[in-house]
Amino acid sequence: RKEVEQDPGPFNVPEGATVAFNCTYSNSASQSFFWYRQDCRKEPKLLMSVYSSGNEDGRFTAQLNRASQYISLLIRDSKLSDSATYLCVVNGDTGRRALTFGSGTRLQVQP
Amino acid sequence: NAGVTQTPKFRILKIGQSMTLQCTQDMNHNYMYWYRQDPGMGLKLIYYSVGAGITDKGEVPNGYNVSRSTTEDFPLRLELAAPSQTSVYFCASRGPANEQFFGPGTRLTVL
């Protein structure tokens, strides 16, 4: 079983739609959770951290369910510029403080 | 702040050649990382460093070496390039909230 699993998509949605991505993680001891965004042929960039109580940043809402070991990202009012791959990221190894990356979910917002 | 910078952006190597991928960060972060990303796949940790003079292996260290003589620099060395090392290489450093900041990547092809 992969440490972090995501649906690869693609999710094709019209502008203005609401779209949600989920990811599951296997290490119950994980402490830090993030969503990163990666544009084609570019480096991953931090979109938002994910907190236990859930958190919102503009049109983006992230939720964490520790009991079920899944993380979600909700994007409201999708823009064309939201088209990218969204990476679910978990701090899986506290010794290295390294992050474990999911393979990503591709989002394509269409006009 | 330039953040994390990497050179070169692109490189083509012949089998058996060697090269060094450069990475520099100006954020005074102790932790630094090297990842590789194959097409359509997640990032895999090659090596990491918790500070100057200290390095350790990640998931896929074979065929690579690193050094960390200063806080700022974390070069990755390929000694005998093989086609399996064709990939995009990302360097990252870790911020105070465990988030990682990535360089723009080096796209390497081994023929």
Side-chain angles (χ1 to χ4, degrees):
Chain A
R1 182 186 172 188
K2 287 184 183 176
E3 288 189 62
V4 179
E5 294 207 58
Q6 295 182 250
D7 180 343
F11 284 59
N12 294 304
V13 302
E15 268 187 293
T18 295
V19 61
F21 309 136
N22 291 328
C23 105
T24 57
Y25 61 95
S26 61
N27 185 349
S28 59
S30 298
Q31 295 296 320
S32 303
F33 309 89
F34 308 92
W35 283 102
Y36 276 71
R37 171 195 168 125
Q38 187 172 26
D39 293 292
C40 188
R41 301 172 79 85
K42 299 280 193 178
E43 73 273 25
K45 291 187 177 174
L46 179 65
L47 179 67
M48 59 196 302
S49 301
V50 185
Y51 303 115
S52 296
S53 53
N55 47 300
E56 192 173 302
D57 182 0
R59 297 181 294 109
F60 299 85
T61 300
Q63 298 274 358
L64 168 63
N65 184 321
R66 283 188 186 271
S68 302
Q69 292 179 216
Y70 83 77
I71 306 156
S72 65
L73 177 68
L74 183 78
I75 305 175
R76 291 181 299 278
D77 189 22
S78 299
K79 313 288 185 194
L80 293 175
S81 57
D82 293 334
S83 298
T85 296
Y86 291 83
L87 306 175
C88 176
V89 184
V90 173
N91 164 225
D93 183 330
T94 55
R96 299 172 183 162
R97 305 290 176 94
L99 301 177
T100 302
F101 289 78
S103 299
T105 298
R106 195 154 68 86
L107 172 66
Q108 185 66 47
V109 181
Q110 293 161 340
Chain B
N1 267 1
V4 181
T5 56
Q6 290 182 240
T7 56
K9 285 190 168 54
F10 305 94
R11 184 74 185 267
I12 298 174
L13 285 181
K14 293 182 181 177
I15 294 171
Q17 286 185 320
S18 61
M19 76 165 293
T20 299
L21 284 67
Q22 301 292 347
C23 174
T24 300
Q25 53 97 5
D26 62 0
M27 297 174 280
N28 203 34
H29 290 162
N30 286 324
Y31 284 72
M32 294 186 73
Y33 307 86
W34 274 104
Y35 295 91
R36 60 176 286 173
Q37 186 176 34
D38 298 328
M41 306 293 284
L43 282 83
K44 294 188 176 175
L45 183 64
I46 305 171
Y47 268 96
Y48 69 102
S49 169
V50 303
I54 307 169
T55 63
D56 208 344
K57 296 177 181 178
E59 301 170 70
V60 291
N62 291 345
Y64 307 95
N65 274 303
V66 293
S67 59
R68 185 96 181 271
S69 56
T70 65
T71 299
E72 294 78 20
D73 300 306
F74 190 38
L76 177 73
R77 177 97 180 143
L78 281 71
E79 288 296 350
L80 290 169
S84 60
Q85 293 178 304
T86 293
S87 192
V88 181
Y89 291 84
F90 291 106
C91 178
S93 68
R94 185 177 76 92
N98 209 23
E99 76 279 34
Q100 290 189 10
F101 301 93
F102 286 82
T106 294
R107 196 167 297 274
L108 176 67
T109 302
V110 182
L111 300 173

